[in-house]
Amino acid sequence: MNSFSTVFLAFAMSTDAFAAAVGKGMALRRPRFSEALRTGIIFGVIEALTPLAGWALGTLAAEFVAEWDHWIAFCLLVFLGLVMLTKGIRNGHEEPPPVARHSFWLLAATGFATSIDAMAVGVSLAFVDNNILITAAAIGCATLLMVTLGVMLGRIIGHVAGRWAEALGGIALIGIGSAILYEHLTH
């Protein structure tokens, strides 16, 4: 795999995480850059580890990962989205208390849900001439960048969306999960 392919793959793997980060940024009250960077680091580390795990599993789990990755991502993202949507609707009639930061576990669960496809890519990379460490590092760095920017973009969108920002973020996560499922079922 050449350098261009590696960079392209890295940014392609981070698009779901970017969209989820926009939703996370919308749910926060004026997130600071440090919170966006923290979110980017969590997502980036997870996104870098999953292709390594997939590569290590290789042929042992290839069928399972390829067969179920979209269902796992769909269920996790819809669950997290429904939680955010429910909280947003409940708080939509009143001014919600400011949320300064998301918990590590919520970010890790969202990061994992958006990186399951990277695990499947890692499995496929076990069968081609590729330096998995460089590829995983590129995916992690691209995700860190995209998620950090996504949270800051979510800050702007969240300010415009006002009280309904968390509900809109939940809808975004449900949409991402549905898109992942639809993409895999139609191909």
Side-chain angles (χ1 to χ4, degrees):
M1 182 181 285
N2 64 33
S3 299
F4 177 76
S5 297
T6 301
V7 170
F8 181 78
L9 175 67
F11 279 99
M13 291 286 91
S14 66
T15 56
D16 290 348
F18 172 77
V22 171
K24 293 295 178 197
M26 287 172 54
L28 293 171
R29 291 286 178 216
R30 298 196 173 266
R32 294 186 172 171
F33 181 76
S34 61
E35 179 61 19
L37 185 59
R38 172 183 172 263
T39 304
I41 290 170
I42 292 169
F43 274 66
V45 167
I46 291 169
E47 195 83 33
L49 291 176
T50 52
L52 289 172
W55 182 82
L57 293 174
T59 58
L60 296 176
E63 288 181 38
F64 177 77
V65 172
E67 209 171 302
W68 293 96
D69 67 341
H70 51 283
W71 285 105
I72 296 167
F74 172 75
C75 290
L76 284 170
L77 288 169
V78 167
F79 173 75
L80 293 169
L82 286 173
V83 168
M84 287 178 68
L85 180 61
T86 304
K87 286 174 64 178
I89 289 172
R90 256 192 251 141
N91 293 336
H93 302 296
E94 59 192 52
E95 187 66 33
V99 178
R101 70 187 322 187
H102 293 295
S103 75
F104 169 81
W105 295 111
L106 176 64
L107 293 175
T110 307
F112 179 72
T114 60
S115 69
I116 292 173
D117 57 342
M119 184 179 292
V121 166
V123 170
S124 67
L125 291 176
F127 304 107
V128 297
D129 182 25
N130 176 57
N131 185 330
I132 189 64
L133 295 177
I134 291 173
T135 302
I139 291 170
C141 289
T143 302
L144 183 148
L145 175 66
M146 296 289 284
V147 167
T148 302
L149 293 173
V151 171
M152 296 312 291
L153 178 61
R155 173 188 173 140
I156 295 165
I157 295 170
H159 179 69
V160 172
R163 291 186 238 177
W164 295 98
E166 187 166 21
L168 292 173
I171 291 170
L173 288 182
I174 293 168
I176 294 165
S178 299
I180 290 170
L181 181 63
Y182 176 77
E183 179 183 324
H184 284 278
L185 292 179
T186 58
H187 285 104

